[in-house]
Amino acid sequence: MSRIGNNPVAISEGVTVDVKENLITVKGKLGELTQEFSGVEIKIEDGNVFVTRPSDSKEHKSMHGLYRSLVRNMIEGVSKGWTKELELVGVGYRASNQGQKLDLALGFSHNIVLELAPEVKVETISEKGKNPIVKLTSHDKQLVGQIAAKIRGFRKPEPYKGKGVKFVGEQLRRKAGKSA
């Protein structure tokens, strides 16, 4: 098992962490996040958050590292925010947005219109000669990842030409085409 749970999490400036029974609340300049926890104990001492486990059982060890990572992601999210960028690779693939509505043209007979949660800010970048990019930003890492995965699921990149929706910087496994 990983020993990542033993490392303390530093609380950034402008961030307040509050623990009540089995609920942790993190507030910062970008928003507020709450998370329920069980199987571990969370303490705040001199600007750090410590996660401890009651025993060395497999279940407690796995929860230890999980909740430490969740708390770290919450603190970083409310202070800096999380961003995911998706690239639309393909002829005629387009993206546009009006407020919280994302309009995707991915080669189907109709455009896909996706209503996004108010916590997520969406931005579309379309430059001539380059693939369109959809940029998702929020203080909630889990929500950004879930929405990005949903958008990618509409048209996953195929292995021959690489057409589809992919994350910026993602390495695709390519296959050779027909050999003559």
Side-chain angles (χ1 to χ4, degrees):
M1 288 282 160
S2 170
R3 290 182 295 279
I4 196 90
N6 294 328
N7 299 338
V9 182
I11 300 173
S12 307
E13 267 187 57
V15 177
T16 58
V17 180
D18 187 37
V19 180
K20 287 187 180 147
E21 293 172 31
N22 64 341
L23 189 73
I24 184 166
T25 306
V26 180
K27 293 179 192 169
K29 64 181 180 185
L30 297 178
E32 178 181 340
L33 293 170
T34 58
Q35 175 69 49
E36 286 187 24
F37 63 91
S38 63
V40 294
E41 195 176 310
I42 297 178
K43 287 185 234 139
I44 301 162
E45 293 173 12
D46 36 276
N48 287 321
V49 178
F50 292 93
V51 181
T52 56
R53 59 180 183 246
S55 72
D56 282 342
S57 69
K58 189 171 183 167
E59 183 183 342
H60 286 149
K61 279 185 174 183
S62 62
M63 294 294 171
H64 190 208
L66 168 74
Y67 286 118
R68 189 260 180 207
S69 295
L70 289 175
V71 169
R72 183 191 157 277
N73 291 340
M74 289 165 66
I75 290 171
E76 194 169 325
V78 296
S79 60
K80 297 178 194 166
W82 296 100
T83 303
K84 287 264 188 192
E85 291 183 344
L86 296 148
E87 186 177 5
L88 281 61
V89 181
V91 177
Y93 287 11
R94 289 184 310 278
S96 63
N97 70 304
Q98 288 89 30
Q100 291 300 99
K101 283 193 177 174
L102 179 63
D103 189 7
L104 299 168
L106 298 175
F108 297 116
S109 60
H110 292 75
N111 286 1
I112 298 169
V113 180
L114 191 64
E115 183 74 40
L116 299 176
E119 298 92 31
V120 178
K121 304 281 180 272
V122 64
E123 181 186 347
T124 53
I125 304 162
S126 298
E127 293 179 26
K128 189 170 179 154
K130 292 186 178 177
N131 294 326
I133 292 176
V134 177
K135 191 174 181 180
L136 303 168
T137 310
S138 178
H139 61 279
D140 191 348
K141 185 177 185 179
Q142 188 262 337
L143 186 62
V144 170
Q146 188 175 1
I147 291 172
K150 185 172 186 169
I151 293 170
R152 186 179 185 272
F154 290 136
R155 178 81 79 172
K156 287 185 180 168
E158 52 94 21
Y160 297 100
K161 291 185 177 178
K163 289 172 58 173
V165 180
K166 69 178 192 112
F167 294 110
V168 171
E170 179 182 7
Q171 296 292 320
L172 298 175
R173 284 185 81 184
R174 300 293 292 269
K175 289 183 179 179
K178 287 190 230 173
S179 56

